[in-house]
Structure formats: structure tokens, C-alpha cells
Amino acid sequence: MYDNSNRYGSVDRQTAKEQRRADAWKWNESMERAASLRSSDPDAYDRMGPLIRISLGHYENDKKIAAQHGRDVNKGGN
């Protein structure tokens, strides 16, 4: 018979990991400006270095997780 306990333990670890990321997320004005630039001036965004674009992806993912965990992700939110 298949043992589900390992699968559920994995889900609990994932939830705990997401909660830690949500707790650690902080508003970052420069990341918000980069996100705004991506939509307002895609050519300028494309000229930005890969590190800032990767960082923006991580920032936005963590912001989404923070919002899912009840954090206020608006400017200055905690």
C-alpha cells in the first residue's frame, strides 16, 4: 500500500518555506521602479542587465507569495 505521509510532509515543508519567504519580503522601491519600467518602456527594460531582471523575478514572486499569506504588499505595507 502507498504511504501518503511522505507526500504530506513535503506539502508542509513547502508551506513553511513559502511562509518564511512571505515573512521576509520587504517593499523595495528600486524593484518597483524596474517593474514599472518593464511595462512603460520595454526597450529600456531589455537593456538592463540580467542580474536586475532575475532579481525582479524573485522579488515579484516573493511579493505574490507574501500577498497570498496575508501581507500588505502596497507601498510601505508590512
Side-chain angles (χ1 to χ4, degrees):
M1 179 174 251
Y2 181 72
D3 180 14
N4 283 329
S5 62
N6 189 26
R7 188 182 85 188
Y8 293 123
S10 174
V11 171
D12 291 342
R13 284 191 296 272
Q14 182 66 26
T15 301
K17 179 181 175 184
E18 287 182 358
Q19 185 63 55
R20 286 190 303 273
R21 289 173 69 183
D23 292 343
W25 180 83
K26 300 271 190 263
W27 175 268
N28 185 314
E29 189 66 38
S30 63
M31 289 289 113
E32 295 292 333
R33 282 194 308 263
S36 175
L37 184 64
R38 182 181 53 211
S39 60
S40 66
D41 190 355
D43 291 333
Y45 176 79
D46 289 342
R47 289 189 302 270
M48 290 171 40
L51 185 57
I52 188 69
R53 289 186 285 172
I54 291 169
S55 297
L56 178 59
H58 288 290
Y59 174 81
E60 289 181 323
N61 190 43
D62 289 349
K63 181 179 179 179
K64 179 181 78 170
I65 290 170
Q68 290 171 346
H69 283 263
R71 295 273 315 272
D72 177 8
V73 295
N74 296 315
K75 186 174 185 174
N78 292 319

